[in-house]
Amino acid sequence: MKLLNVAALITATTLSLPSFAAEQRAWVGDPVNGEKLYKKQCVDTGNVNGPDWCQLPITDSEHMTELRNERLYQQIKSRKGASDSIPKLSLLEIWDVIAYINTKHLALYDFFPDAGRYLCGEYTIDKYGLKRIKKAIGKKLSEKTAQVFTFFDMPNEQGNLTYVPPEPLLLDELKKKYKAGYLVFLPFVSNGYDGQIGIAMDAGGKITKLAVFDTDKKTAKLNRKLTQFEGQGKKGQKTPFKSRKDKKLAKAVFEGYLRAMETATMYDRDENERTWADE
């Protein structure tokens, strides 16, 4: 899909249909042409003479969704680190490359297609959360920090997903009653898969979607298995998830969920400090 409104595109966030198959996504730009351009800029150069942005971990959903399209556009446009032999990209070509890059990882829209605005921040689980996790899973958590994406269903902004920078006046508009939920990307190992999982929860901590990036039959099968856990969980969850067919998967999902839920709780603490006067 080619550009129609340049000004709108520069402020656009990652958009896609609610599907995890790359070929079914609707992107800003042409991902087919973008793949060819990416190859010329990054692969054919052996990353020796290519621009710095070629080093981006494009399969890392947490990093790339945090980066956002408009910032990725600026990085590609700057050509930092590129040799003179690397051809410059036009505005349309840059958005084609962005479209291709966005087919390589999960998108925020996959998890909260109706949200209007979202926040992004890094949070570290406090000692109380770590203690609760250890009690629930019987071991210490090795990694305590993660990005939390918090979504809001704003009036008259359905599906117009827009990032909100941490500015007081803009944050004041994000009332608790509008909060749709949270999304955390975490490492995940189960069923022969070793990568990232997206754990989406509503404002009460109930799982609304679990997914790994769908690249083949194996990941598609895993995503089907993950749907059995949707609707489970709540803040303060103590009871392990159960699965009659796959106990190892249930254990892996439960551990990931606890970390995601406790990290989202750290966002809630900051939100409460910001909104106490509203209540």
Side-chain angles (χ1 to χ4, degrees), residues 6-30:
V6 173
L9 290 171
I10 293 178
T11 58
T13 54
T14 304
L15 298 179
S16 78
L17 295 172
S19 168
F20 296 96
E23 67 274 8
Q24 295 177 333
R25 297 185 178 202
W27 299 113
V28 174
D30 179 0

Side-chain angles (χ1 to χ4, degrees), residues 184-239:
V184 183
F185 294 107
L186 296 173
F188 187 73
V189 180
S190 185
N191 287 47
Y193 175 82
D194 187 352
Q196 282 187 327
I197 188 173
I199 302 175
M201 304 165 282
D202 68 12
K206 181 177 67 178
I207 296 173
T208 56
K209 184 175 283 294
L210 293 171
V212 301
F213 187 58
D214 190 343
T215 57
D216 52 30
K217 292 182 179 180
K218 182 182 293 186
T219 50
K221 182 178 180 180
L222 177 56
N223 275 330
R224 288 193 295 271
K225 287 186 175 183
L226 289 171
T227 60
Q228 67 183 292
F229 302 103
E230 294 174 6
Q232 298 189 47
K234 62 180 180 179
K235 288 180 178 176
Q237 178 79 24
K238 298 178 181 179
T239 306

Side-chain angles (χ1 to χ4, degrees), residues 7-149:
L9 290 171
I10 293 178
T11 58
T13 54
T14 304
L15 298 179
S16 78
L17 295 172
S19 168
F20 296 96
E23 67 274 8
Q24 295 177 333
R25 297 185 178 202
W27 299 113
V28 174
D30 179 0
V32 175
N33 187 50
E35 182 176 10
K36 297 176 182 177
L37 295 169
Y38 181 88
K39 186 174 184 292
K40 290 181 179 179
Q41 293 272 318
C42 303
V43 181
D44 291 348
T45 63
N47 288 328
V48 176
N49 299 315
D52 290 354
W53 61 265
C54 287
Q55 305 299 324
L56 288 170
I58 63 175
T59 60
D60 184 329
S61 298
E62 179 185 54
H63 180 89
M64 297 308 297
T65 48
E66 178 194 3
L67 180 61
R68 301 192 307 278
N69 279 358
E70 64 272 22
R71 292 170 60 191
L72 179 55
Y73 172 88
Q74 293 299 332
Q75 285 195 23
I76 297 175
K77 181 182 178 182
S78 73
R79 288 178 50 80
K80 183 178 179 182
S83 70
D84 294 336
S85 63
I86 303 299
K88 293 182 179 180
L89 299 177
S90 68
L91 183 145
L92 293 177
E93 288 176 329
I94 291 175
W95 284 102
D96 286 350
V97 171
I98 292 173
Y100 166 68
I101 289 175
N102 283 337
T103 66
K104 306 303 289 183
H105 56 263
L106 292 165
L108 303 182
Y109 194 80
D110 291 327
F111 295 88
F112 287 90
D114 295 328
R117 304 183 197 180
Y118 76 97
L119 297 169
C120 175
E122 185 177 87
Y123 295 89
T124 300
I125 302 172
D126 63 16
K127 62 180 181 180
Y128 305 107
L130 293 174
K131 185 177 181 179
R132 286 191 291 268
I133 291 176
K134 182 179 179 181
K135 185 176 181 179
I137 66 176
K139 61 182 181 181
K140 290 184 178 180
L141 190 66
S142 58
E143 181 56 55
K144 310 170 186 177
T145 302
Q147 292 287 341
V148 177
F149 298 87

Side-chain angles (χ1 to χ4, degrees), residues 225 228-229 241-250:
K225 287 186 175 183
Q228 67 183 292
F229 302 103
F241 297 149
K242 295 181 180 180
S243 173
R244 288 181 294 178
K245 297 182 179 180
D246 200 329
K247 294 181 180 180
K248 290 184 179 180
L249 179 61

Side-chain angles (χ1 to χ4, degrees), residues 137-173:
I137 66 176
K139 61 182 181 181
K140 290 184 178 180
L141 190 66
S142 58
E143 181 56 55
K144 310 170 186 177
T145 302
Q147 292 287 341
V148 177
F149 298 87
T150 309
F151 298 82
F152 297 83
D153 290 336
M154 304 299 291
N156 304 315
E157 296 181 19
Q158 183 179 16
N160 186 29
L161 193 57
T162 304
Y163 170 71
V164 178
E167 299 176 8
L169 291 178
L170 296 177
L171 292 176
D172 284 345
E173 298 178 6

